[in-house]
Amino acid sequence: MALRHTKQKEFVSRFLEASFSHPTAYDVALAAKEEGISLGITSAYRILNSLVEEGKAVKVPSVDGMVHFDFKRDDDKSHIHFVCQKCGRIFDLREEKSFASFLQADKRFQIGSLQDIIIYGICEDCQKKK
Amino acid sequence: MALRHTKQKEFVSRFLEASFSHPTAYDVALAAKEEGISLGITSAYRILNSLVEEGKAVKVPSVDGMVHFDFKRDDDKSHIHFVCQKCGRIFDLREEKSFASFLQADKRFQIGSLQDIIIYGICEDCQKKK
DNA sequence: GTCAATGCAAATCCTTTGCATTCGG
DNA sequence: CCGAATGCAAAGGATTTGCATTGAC
């Protein structure tokens, strides 16, 4: 019952690690096809969800009604997510120490990484549009 | 085109303000029926969404695939949300000053209240279950 | 050859929309 | 009355499941 290595799994891991745009399952499936790799939406979801279960990626539920995925990075490359409630874009906030100290203080709530902190608000561009 | 005052709107506002359990639209509709007030799921969504647009409530997208709602409270009663990635329960973190200072520091990202900060992790109970 | 992985179609679930009915002002 | 609000049924859209086929080992 050994896990099998497939083109699809390999592509999804590689693509997510190289991506900083928080893709959805559809984004990943589309990117695969553009690279000539067959990848159905079903398999995209299955592979992405298994990466989350393995702790290699995090889910970012957005106001657009879709779950976006983000590769989990080393502490020094980790970041807080900011989701704009108007345009739905997701920004990375490379963050100060105030959060880190909070994370370690409260043992009741186990937080994997800064990337599991999501702030919903209005981004700079959408503030201007008013 | 005056807005009309209805039993349904009145119930939803009152229920959400009194509730600290972050109900979904289904929870609200069910609670209405238990109190003998007719409230379809469609209207529950419509009323809750209008409360969000009016700035009286916030949406909390959860890992359970549903949007939960929370009444927006005064600053001194505001709080950060913690969503358990295993059981899906939502906890209120009544929070230190470290976050508040961060909120005011960065003008690029406009955050309505502490309640728009959502942290995803594993809650105490689920840590024990392992 | 085995059996895990894939991917299509269908199912499921949350949320929104269309539209006829109800009811507040 | 008027038209906004409700709520049913249906549509829409994201995600999952069933199952026959494919392909890794």
Side-chain angles (χ1 to χ4, degrees):
Chain A
M1 50 109 267
L3 287 204
R4 286 170 188 177
H5 181 262
T6 64
K7 273 193 289 296
Q8 287 83 357
K9 281 186 192 169
E10 197 269 327
F11 173 82
V12 174
S13 291
R14 183 163 51 76
F15 178 79
L16 198 62
E17 181 159 12
S19 171
F20 287 86
S21 62
H22 317 91
T24 64
Y26 283 87
D27 296 331
V28 175
L30 184 63
K33 275 163 194 159
E34 286 175 351
E35 207 167 296
I37 294 168
S38 153
L39 177 61
I41 187 64
T42 305
S43 299
Y45 273 111
R46 262 192 295 239
I47 295 170
L48 286 166
N49 282 335
S50 68
L51 286 176
V52 171
E53 277 175 25
E54 294 167 26
K56 294 180 182 167
V58 299
K59 287 186 176 188
V60 183
S62 175
V63 290
D64 63 7
M66 276 190 268
V67 174
H68 295 243
F69 293 86
D70 193 29
F71 193 83
K72 201 177 272 187
R73 302 174 195 286
D74 296 337
D75 270 2
D76 62 323
K77 288 182 183 167
S78 196
H79 49 263
I80 288 172
H81 284 125
F82 180 88
V83 178
C84 179
Q85 292 171 319
K86 291 204 170 175
C87 66
R89 279 187 297 167
I90 300 173
F91 301 83
D92 293 340
L93 301 190
R94 211 153 292 280
E95 196 29 33
E96 12 273 69
K97 301 296 162 286
S98 52
F99 283 98
S101 62
F102 164 73
L103 296 187
Q104 292 155 357
D106 194 335
K107 294 297 180 195
R108 289 171 305 154
F109 299 100
Q110 187 179 78
I111 301 166
S113 79
L114 288 178
Q115 289 165 259
D116 287 319
I117 301 179
I118 304 180
I119 300 177
Y120 296 86
I122 312 295
C123 75
E124 196 165 24
D125 291 348
C126 288
Q127 285 181 52
K128 287 176 190 164
K129 288 175 198 156
K130 167 53 186 139
Chain B
M1 51 112 269
L3 289 201
R4 285 172 187 174
H5 182 260
T6 63
K7 275 194 288 296
Q8 288 83 358
K9 281 186 193 170
E10 197 271 326
F11 174 82
V12 174
S13 291
R14 183 162 51 73
F15 179 78
L16 198 61
E17 181 159 13
S19 169
F20 287 86
S21 62
H22 316 92
T24 64
Y26 282 87
D27 296 331
V28 175
L30 185 63
K33 274 162 194 158
E34 286 175 352
E35 208 168 295
I37 293 170
S38 152
L39 177 61
I41 186 66
T42 305
S43 299
Y45 273 111
R46 261 192 295 241
I47 295 169
L48 287 166
N49 282 334
S50 68
L51 286 176
V52 172
E53 277 174 24
E54 293 168 26
K56 294 180 182 165
V58 300
K59 287 186 176 188
V60 183
S62 173
V63 291
D64 63 8
M66 275 189 267
V67 174
H68 295 243
F69 294 86
D70 193 28
F71 193 83
K72 202 178 272 187
R73 303 175 194 287
D74 296 337
D75 270 3
D76 62 321
K77 288 181 182 167
S78 195
H79 49 264
I80 289 173
H81 284 125
F82 180 90
V83 178
C84 178
Q85 293 171 319
K86 290 203 172 176
C87 65
R89 277 187 298 166
I90 300 173
F91 300 83
D92 293 341
L93 301 190
R94 211 154 292 280
E95 194 30 33
E96 10 273 71
K97 301 296 162 283
S98 53
F99 283 98
S101 62
F102 164 72
L103 297 186
Q104 292 153 359
D106 194 336
K107 294 299 179 195
R108 291 171 303 154
F109 299 100
Q110 187 179 78
I111 302 165
S113 80
L114 288 178
Q115 290 164 261
D116 288 318
I117 301 178
I118 305 179
I119 300 177
Y120 296 85
I122 311 296
C123 75
E124 195 165 24
D125 290 349
C126 289
Q127 285 180 52
K128 288 175 187 160
K129 289 175 196 157
K130 170 47 187 147

